[in-house]
Each structure stands twice: as structure tokens, then as C-alpha cells.
Amino acid sequence: MNDQSTIQVGCSSQAVWIRVDGKGSFQNSPGMKEFAREMVNRGYRHFVIDLNRCPVMDSTFMGTMAGIALRLREIGQGGVTVVNLNERNTDLLCNLGLDQIFEISSDTSHSEEVPAEPLAQSPTDKTERARTMLEAHEALVEADGENETKFKDVLEYLKQDLHVSE
């Protein structure tokens, strides 16, 4: 499998569309996080994440997705809809309780009509990558308290790693 993955983004009047082509991972999470933050700042409140060409996701990527949904919940408007999941990605999201904060849908109407362009992935340094990973895992715990035991060691490691590098 090709390790290179890209994220295509586009906006319609109703939503921001994010299409993942390849693995959703800690490598493409910082760019997606920054893009989503900018779109929320511009007033967008609905995000559709299309996983049709995404064979698998790691916990950082899922936590980054959760962070978007939690931010919208904090604002009190909008939400995240995840479409075109394969069985493995459905299991991953459900096992982390993320099906409780996302709308999971098979309706992809108009998804091909949304203009899409590659999301620029600017290089991130070790500190920024660790910060993104920490925020993503904290979002997983916020989304479902049962995730705390699953990611306790990861959270501790990332906190120590950030403390050492700052």
C-alpha cells in the first residue's frame, strides 16, 4: 500500500468537505486541524469527512476529527458527518465511542459536486507534531471517558515528550 496520503478539501454553501485519500494518520492530522480551525473561524459549522478512499486511521487522526466535533459542540452549532466508511473504520470509530459525537451517514449526495483541492501539508516540527498528537488524544478522552484507560500511557508519554522539548 502506498504510504502517501492526501487530503482534498472544498466548501459548499452548506458544509466544508474533507476527503481522505490514503491513511488518516498523525502525519496529515496537523494540516487538517489547522484547516478546520480556519474554517470554523470563518463561520463554517458543518463538516463532512469522506473516508471512501481511506483504508485505515490511527488514533491521532480520529482524535483530530473528534476535536473538530467537540469544538463545534462547544460553540453550540453544527457538527461532523462522516461518510463512506469501510467496515474497519466504522469499527475503529465505534470502539472509541466516536459514533456518539459524529453523524455517520451513507448519504453522499452532492459530494462529487463540491470543488476539491489538495490540502497543503506544511512541515511540522517535532514539538508541533507532539502537541497535535496530545490534543487529539485528549479529545478522544473528552469524547468518551472510557478512552482514558486506552490512551493513558500515550497521554503520559506525549506530555513528557512536550515538557522535554519546550
Side-chain angles (χ1 to χ4, degrees):
M1 184 173 94
N2 183 357
D3 285 343
Q4 287 295 90
S5 62
T6 59
I7 295 180
Q8 302 280 322
V9 295
C11 297
S12 69
S13 58
Q14 288 84 26
V16 174
W17 287 78
I18 300 172
R19 286 192 199 114
V20 185
D21 190 2
K23 182 180 179 182
S25 75
F26 71 95
Q27 293 173 314
N28 50 26
S29 292
M32 185 172 77
K33 177 183 84 168
E34 289 307 314
F35 172 75
R37 179 178 290 147
E38 178 61 28
M39 293 298 103
V40 169
N41 289 344
R42 290 184 188 181
Y44 287 93
R45 297 293 181 258
H46 297 282
F47 287 74
V48 178
I49 301 174
D50 186 342
L51 299 177
N52 186 46
R53 295 187 207 132
C54 177
V56 68
M57 301 173 287
D58 68 16
S59 57
T60 298
F61 192 82
M62 290 184 285
T64 301
M65 291 170 51
I68 298 168
L70 292 169
R71 176 69 180 122
L72 293 169
R73 180 189 288 174
E74 186 181 293
I75 292 170
Q77 291 181 304
V80 174
T81 302
V82 184
V83 298
N84 290 325
L85 289 89
N86 62 29
E87 188 175 335
R88 185 172 184 185
N89 286 337
T90 301
D91 289 345
L92 287 169
L93 293 178
C94 291
N95 287 336
L96 294 178
L98 300 181
D99 56 325
Q100 302 302 308
I101 65 168
F102 299 144
E103 178 183 341
I104 296 178
S105 174
S106 57
D107 177 19
T108 60
S109 58
H110 309 295
S111 67
E112 294 305 317
E113 297 171 21
V114 177
E117 59 185 64
L119 179 63
Q121 293 285 338
S122 54
T124 55
D125 64 16
K126 182 182 176 196
T127 302
E128 181 57 32
R129 196 168 30 252
R131 187 172 289 114
T132 296
M133 293 172 76
L134 177 61
E135 289 172 5
H137 286 85
E138 288 172 340
L140 291 173
V141 172
E142 185 179 340
D144 185 339
E146 291 183 21
N147 290 332
E148 187 167 9
T149 56
K150 296 174 187 173
F151 296 110
K152 181 181 179 209
D153 292 339
V154 173
L155 286 164
E156 188 58 38
Y157 171 79
L158 291 169
K159 286 175 184 174
Q160 287 178 1
D161 193 38
L162 268 175
H163 181 71
V164 167
S165 62
E166 288 182 338

